[in-house]
């Protein structure tokens, strides 16, 4: 073949251009490597912490509170002796984390009382009275 006086086209000037992919930027390659190393180090640290906690497991101390000495009259179940007002009914009862019971009482006029009762001590701890507002 003869050589031509025409300048070579783009397709002819780059030989074997389809077989060589373009190179990614160096910063991108460095970021991928650093993130891979961080994932491996983090996973190894997590596994190490889990193994350490399993091997050095100390049981949590159980704090037992001694119940106060109750009189001999309370040898059976503790009973709540609550003076109820006329028309008053129990609307709600809820157990608290400290063992006390919160009892809500409501009467016909809309007045409410909340009583905190401790069954262990068989006594009322606190009482909150909320009255219905009166119209002038």
């Amino acid at each position: 073949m003869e050589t031509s006086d025409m300048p070579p086209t783009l397709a002819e000037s780059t030989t074997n251009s389809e077989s060589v992919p373009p190179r990614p930027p160096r910063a991108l390659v460095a970021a991928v490597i650093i993130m891979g190393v961080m994932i491996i180090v983090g996973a190894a640290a997590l596994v190490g912490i889990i193994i350490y906690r399993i091997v050095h497991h100390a049981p949590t101390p159980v704090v037992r509170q001694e119940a106060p000495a109750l009189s001999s009259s309370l040898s059976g179940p503790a009973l709540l002796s609550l003076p109820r007002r006329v028309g008053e009914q129990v609307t709600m009862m809820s157990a608290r984390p400290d063992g006390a019971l919160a009892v809500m009482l409501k009467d016909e006029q809309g007045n409410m009382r909340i009583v905190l009762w401790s069954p262990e001590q068989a006594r009322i701890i606190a009482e909150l009275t909320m009255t219905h507002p009166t119209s002038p």
Side-chain angles (χ1 to χ4, degrees):
M1 289 199 126
E2 298 178 19
T3 57
S4 123
D5 293 338
M6 296 177 59
T9 61
L10 183 61
E12 295 173 356
S13 65
T14 56
T15 58
N16 205 8
S17 65
E18 293 179 8
S19 64
V20 178
R23 290 186 50 189
R26 290 181 186 217
L28 181 62
V29 172
V32 169
I33 292 172
I34 290 172
M35 284 189 280
V37 170
M38 288 173 59
I39 288 173
I40 292 170
V41 169
L46 182 63
V47 169
I49 289 172
I50 291 172
I51 291 173
Y52 177 80
R53 288 192 178 183
I54 289 173
V55 171
H56 295 94
H57 180 342
T60 56
V62 177
V63 178
R64 296 186 183 192
Q65 296 178 347
E66 304 234 351
L70 300 175
S71 65
S72 61
S73 64
L74 294 176
S75 60
L79 300 175
L80 173 59
S81 167
L82 181 67
R84 287 188 5 189
R85 298 179 185 143
V86 177
E88 198 170 49
Q89 294 182 352
V90 175
T91 58
M92 184 183 75
M93 186 180 300
S94 176
R96 294 174 21 123
D98 62 352
L101 291 174
V103 181
M104 179 187 283
L105 304 160
K106 187 174 184 180
D107 66 6
E108 296 165 347
Q109 288 81 24
N111 300 327
M112 292 191 309
R113 287 193 305 160
I114 299 175
V115 178
L116 293 179
W117 178 59
S118 174
E120 291 88 18
Q121 300 172 357
R123 70 179 185 94
I124 295 175
I125 299 171
E127 181 177 342
L128 172 65
T129 303
M130 297 174 280
T131 59
H132 191 62
T134 57
S135 58

